[in-house]
Amino acid sequence: MRVGIVRDDRYLLHDPGLRRPERPERLVAVYEAVDRDFKGAVVTFKPKLASLEDLALVHTPAYITKVLRTAERAFTHLAPDTPVGSQSYLAASLAAGGSITGLDAMLAGECDVCFALVRPPGHHALPDTAGGFCIFNNPAITARYALSRHALRRILIVDWDAHHGNGIQDVFYAEKEALYFSSHFMGWYPRTGDWEETGSGDGAGYTINLPLPIDIGDNDLAGLYRAILSPVAASFKPELIVVAAGFDGHYLDPVGRLKLTEKCFGELTRTLLDLRDACEEAPVLLVLEGGYDVNALALCVREVLRVLVTGDAGSQQALSLSDTGMKLLEKARGIHRKFGVWEGRREPAVQE
Ligand SMILES: [Zn+2]
């Protein structure tokens, strides 16, 4: 399997100021790990700049103008938690464009899976609002681009960042072309992503939220991903899998503070490869989101790339769920049974 990455030193130009968790050193550590461990093993792509039309697939013209005008100031804020410097608009445009670059490379047959190693992150960005360190919604823009420019019909978006991707959910909430699955701890920003947020209208049942207990372990989380996404993918048959790949669930992370280790993200990646195999080798695009301990972030990205590069598909260990894991699975299944999306429409679709 040919593994692509998207990287560019211009992502380091986004400078949110001192003592900010989302800082350039994150990508420096990731790129060093790539150079140390994967030289020659991955194909590197330079990101294109997202065009105004690309950004407008998700964002309002007024918001895009607001972001571009931050170039006129040395330092300002797009949101209280999202400060930006004069070059941040450039990095943000390259982050959205880099995700699209990864998608285009896969669809052009230049690689089979691709990890866009970009910043700033995107999954909290709403059509007209920045937040949670996010400026443009890189995964949502790329999914929209795949639907409109490549005429794909079904996209599975998986979000394993420790926070809920409220921006992605918001964009696709009433649509059935993109199925959004997120696992997250709900006690923190943005405090969305509850069990009963399941989509609306045509999109009813196409949003699956899995709020996690703070002490969830590697084995339960990996087992839940396998138990939920295997039937969901078999039923939905995605033509593309997009992953909002945040690593702030790592136990060393100062922002996420879950208890996961880097091994868990390797296991989630194995599940992705199995889903890909079951979905006619659908391209898999990972887009970097959170992860704020630079060393833990580099370890997690390395583990994901190791699994991708070695094609290490198929779990080597049994993923039996604990009682807690079983309860979470049963709760999610119970809430989604009425929609028929999850279990192959064996039951009638919900009546509007
Ligand atoms: Zn996060």
Side-chain angles (χ1 to χ4, degrees):
M1 196 169 56
R2 291 158 305 161
V3 180
I5 61 165
V6 176
R7 70 183 276 181
D8 196 304
D9 285 345
R10 287 174 292 173
Y11 291 129
L12 310 182
L13 297 174
H14 168 44
D15 181 7
L18 288 174
R19 283 198 277 279
R20 292 288 177 171
E22 202 296 284
R23 57 199 201 278
E25 289 80 4
R26 298 176 60 234
L27 271 191
V28 172
V30 166
Y31 291 170
E32 281 175 1
V34 170
D35 288 338
R36 194 172 52 238
D37 298 325
F38 300 101
K39 225 172 194 152
V42 295
V43 190
T44 302
F45 298 97
K46 275 272 183 202
K48 71 162 198 168
L49 272 170
S51 68
L52 294 177
E53 290 76 18
D54 296 337
L55 298 173
L57 290 167
V58 163
H59 297 286
T60 63
Y63 177 68
I64 295 167
T65 302
K66 181 180 175 183
V67 172
L68 296 182
R69 291 202 64 180
T70 62
E72 298 166 5
R73 307 271 295 270
F75 188 76
T76 184
H77 284 76
L78 280 170
D81 64 0
T82 312
V84 292
S86 64
Q87 307 260 49
S88 298
Y89 81 98
L90 174 62
S93 301
L94 285 168
S99 307
I100 292 172
T101 298
L103 172 73
D104 283 341
M106 290 190 295
L107 295 180
E110 294 168 35
C111 60
D112 301 303
V113 300
C114 190
F115 199 162
L117 299 169
V118 305
R119 67 180 284 276
H123 73 153
H124 296 307
L126 293 162
D128 60 355
T129 312
F133 320 142
C134 300
I135 298 176
F136 294 131
N137 199 315
N138 312 317
I141 290 169
T142 309
R144 264 275 180 264
Y145 179 95
L147 292 169
S148 67
R149 307 283 164 77
H150 288 291
L152 298 192
R153 293 162 298 176
R154 292 177 306 281
I155 301 174
L156 173 63
I157 304 176
V158 175
D159 189 335
W160 71 45
D161 190 277
H163 303 89
H164 180 240
N166 55 315
I168 302 175
Q169 173 170 302
D170 186 83
V171 169
F172 295 108
Y173 202 61
E175 296 175 31
K176 63 181 183 342
E177 288 75 21
L179 193 159
Y180 179 59
F181 170 78
S182 175
S183 64
H184 45 270
F185 181 69
M186 256 193 72
W188 307 311
Y189 180 92
R191 298 188 185 277
T192 51
D194 212 344
W195 295 97
E196 302 287 349
E197 293 171 31
T198 51
S200 65
D202 283 350
Y206 290 87
T207 292
I208 301 176
N209 281 304
L210 182 66
L212 301 171
I214 198 162
D215 58 351
I216 185 115
D218 284 3
N219 206 56
D220 268 346
L221 191 67
L224 282 164
Y225 266 66
R226 200 160 275 265
I228 294 172
L229 288 178
S230 300
V232 163
S235 159
F236 182 63
K237 298 185 176 63
E239 297 174 314
L240 167 69
I241 301 170
V242 175
V243 184
F247 300 97
D248 42 11
H250 192 278
Y251 71 95
L252 291 173
D253 196 277
V255 176
R257 304 192 304 274
L258 292 180
K259 304 270 189 293
L260 305 173
T261 76
E262 59 273 19
K263 295 285 175 211
C264 183
F265 297 104
E267 202 61 54
L268 299 185
T269 306
R270 283 192 191 90
T271 295
L272 289 178
L273 293 182
D274 288 348
L275 295 181
R276 174 180 178 274
D277 287 348
C279 296
E280 298 184 357
E281 308 204 322
V284 179
L285 175 71
L286 299 103
V287 184
L288 184 64
E289 291 287 342
Y292 304 103
D293 179 281
V294 296
N295 295 320
L297 173 63
L299 284 175
C300 290
V301 170
R302 191 177 69 169
E303 181 66 13
V304 169
L305 285 174
R306 189 188 65 73
V307 172
L308 294 178
V309 164
T310 58
D312 190 7
S315 176
Q316 301 304 305
Q317 63 192 70
L319 291 171
S320 57
L321 293 171
S322 70
D323 286 351
T324 303
M326 278 307 298
K327 282 188 185 129
L328 292 167
L329 177 60
E330 287 311 316
K331 180 159 184 175
R333 209 179 250 154
I335 286 167
H336 281 268
R337 188 164 289 130
K338 63 180 179 285
F339 299 112
V341 175
W342 181 330
E343 284 158 347
R345 299 198 176 282
R346 279 180 299 209
E347 294 173 47
V350 66
Q351 298 296 309
E352 292 303 319

